[in-house]
Amino acid sequence: MSAMTRHLSGVSRLLTTAVAGRGGPVGWAKRRPRNSLRTKQTSWQIGNHPWTAAGTPRVGPLRFPSGGLGAEGRGTRTPSEVVGTRRRAEREDNLMTTAGGGYVVAGVTGGLGGRVARRLAERGVRQRVVARDPGRVPELPGAEVAVGSYDDREGLRRAFEGAHTLFMVSASEDPDRMRLHGNVVGAATDAGVGRVLYTSFYGAGPTCTFTFGRDHWHTEELIRGSGLRHTFLRDNLYIDFLPLMVGGDGVIRGPAGDGRVAAVARDDIADVAVAVLLDDGGGHDGRAYDMTGPEALTMADAAHELSRAAGRTVTYHAETLEEAYASRAHYGAPDWEVAGWVTTYAAIANGDLGTVSGDVAAVAGHPPVGLREFLRRNPDSYRRLAEPAGT
């Protein structure tokens, strides 16, 4: 069995067991191939700015911290693992040099990057979209395609040439994530990109309860030190993934206690991203916007809304941390990955994700959508919950 086959088999097993009610992670598990490139590199040269990583701790089972600056529920976050080397045939009217050009969207095959690219295309904006698999890139008017990986800094530099603005979606969770992000930022500075919009996480900090959220803080520091003009979108947990937290038995299991989460829809984040990208007046420079929904819900609240939408009882079982680690042990995932799954809920329990922000409305010009309205607009998001158990 090839490494990629093992990878795809692992993803299928994780998602299948998650929705079967066997204590799944959070419904968004995404694993990198076991033969992924690894490095012990701890410093990078980003343009003229040397940068040394403090290092994001990779932890085993955690004891409940007394505080914490934030947490991430993205695994979601949907990662973007793209950017690249090969472009479609050069044309005399290269999209990056014509009026209205100069935008690069990385992660176009992902849930968030794809939404941003489509919105830009609908506005008639010329852009270059980058993806690892060109066959998965949607047909978008005014879009040029580059293909590659965050592993290849030189390839990224070529893909970014001529661009003035980069939309940088964070890479999938990985022990090597900081090197991958360093490649993207380094390539942007090498190519002369002027500014970057980075999808960070709500409350990003070096001691986030949610362990993956620490990577986002280190990446923000890397971008700040690069000299690039920058804006950060600090995304809360995605509303889109709340239905995926429900097992096949109709139960959400996790150590979230009675904590609240101000989950946000990816459509609202994409609207904010496009507003920032198209406003190059400098008003967004150096800003970090908190992307939240209009309400802060407990897991019990979420279960109630899901029950209402699906016509089936959904409940929440508050695990202890010990129970949460034990219920996920059978996945065979590395300690750092299991810790990320569990601390998603722990951050909710800590109150790290419960503050509602007005930034979506202020930047996008419309209020964010709440869970009830999201479910009304997106019945496919919970359709499996309405099916009889075991189907």
Side-chain angles (χ1 to χ4, degrees):
M1 182 183 292
S2 69
M4 180 55 70
T5 302
R6 289 196 302 272
H7 167 58
L8 295 175
S9 175
V11 171
S12 175
R13 175 175 56 83
L14 283 169
L15 293 179
T16 299
T17 50
V19 300
R22 287 163 47 190
V26 288
W28 45 255
K30 191 173 192 300
R31 307 277 295 282
R32 288 177 62 86
R34 293 303 180 191
N35 67 345
S36 294
L37 182 62
R38 294 287 183 260
T39 181
K40 295 183 179 179
Q41 181 179 2
T42 57
S43 63
W44 296 263
Q45 183 72 28
I46 307 301
N48 295 322
H49 303 271
W51 182 78
T52 302
T56 301
R58 297 300 176 187
V59 298
L62 302 181
R63 288 295 165 258
F64 203 24
S66 59
L69 298 179
E72 179 183 44
R74 295 185 49 180
T76 73
R77 224 134 114 82
T78 63
S80 74
E81 321 105 308
V82 297
V83 222
T85 19
R86 191 168 51 98
R87 292 185 291 185
R88 285 181 178 166
E90 293 289 337
R91 299 192 302 274
E92 202 169 351
D93 59 338
N94 187 298
L95 293 174
M96 294 296 100
T97 58
T98 53
Y103 293 94
V104 171
V105 176
V108 69
T109 59
L112 185 55
R115 283 171 166 82
V116 170
R118 283 192 296 274
R119 282 162 169 77
L120 291 174
E122 288 166 0
R123 288 162 174 77
V125 176
R126 293 190 172 192
Q127 60 184 307
R128 181 177 297 144
V129 296
V130 285
R132 177 174 294 151
D133 180 0
R136 294 178 57 206
V137 176
E139 287 293 330
L140 297 171
E144 181 184 20
V145 179
V147 184
S149 166
Y150 278 17
D151 274 332
D152 181 4
R153 172 168 168 168
E154 176 56 25
L156 300 185
R157 183 194 64 76
R158 292 193 295 270
F160 295 165
E161 284 179 352
H164 62 63
T165 299
L166 166 67
F167 180 63
M168 175 185 172
V169 185
S170 58
S172 300
E173 287 75 23
D174 188 285
D176 224 12
R177 200 183 203 184
M178 286 310 305
R179 182 187 64 83
L180 300 177
H181 286 179
N183 282 343
V184 180
V185 177
T189 59
D190 293 346
V193 172
R195 64 179 181 132
V196 60
L197 174 58
Y198 171 66
T199 60
S200 184
F201 192 74
Y202 186 90
T207 59
C208 285
T209 305
F210 179 73
T211 54
F212 296 156
R214 302 168 193 175
D215 291 339
H216 289 289
W217 181 83
H218 288 300
T219 302
E220 287 187 4
E221 290 295 291
L222 169 62
I223 293 171
R224 288 189 184 98
S226 71
L228 291 166
R229 294 167 54 203
H230 58 270
T231 308
F232 305 138
L233 302 187
R234 291 177 171 171
D235 303 341
N236 205 297
L237 183 70
Y238 290 166
I239 277 182
D240 314 46
F241 291 143
L242 291 179
L244 296 177
M245 292 181 170
V246 184
D249 58 355
V251 181
I252 300 172
R253 291 181 174 85
D258 295 324
R260 294 180 177 273
V261 56
V264 62
R266 285 179 293 182
D267 280 330
D268 288 329
I269 299 171
D271 287 345
V272 172
V274 170
V276 172
L277 290 171
L278 297 183
D279 181 359
D280 196 20
H284 300 293
D285 289 0
R287 301 290 298 275
Y289 294 115
D290 290 331
M291 300 288 94
T292 78
E295 58 196 351
L297 302 173
T298 65
M299 287 293 99
D301 293 333
H304 174 75
E305 289 298 333
L306 289 165
S307 298
R308 181 178 179 278
R312 172 191 176 190
T313 299
V314 175
T315 61
Y316 167 57
H317 171 68
E319 294 180 309
T320 65
L321 281 177
E322 290 72 19
E323 288 171 340
Y325 280 109
S327 68
R328 290 153 176 80
H330 68 277
Y331 293 113
D335 286 348
W336 64 266
E337 191 166 22
V338 176
W341 297 341
V342 172
T343 56
T344 302
Y345 294 95
I348 296 172
N350 271 0
D352 296 344
L353 302 182
T355 300
V356 173
S357 163
D359 287 349
V360 169
V363 180
H366 63 75
V369 67
L371 178 57
R372 179 174 296 189
E373 179 62 16
F374 171 82
L375 295 173
R376 187 189 69 79
R377 296 180 187 178
N378 299 276
D380 286 344
S381 69
Y382 62 83
R383 192 174 304 283
R384 69 175 181 83
L385 302 181
E387 298 171 352
T391 60

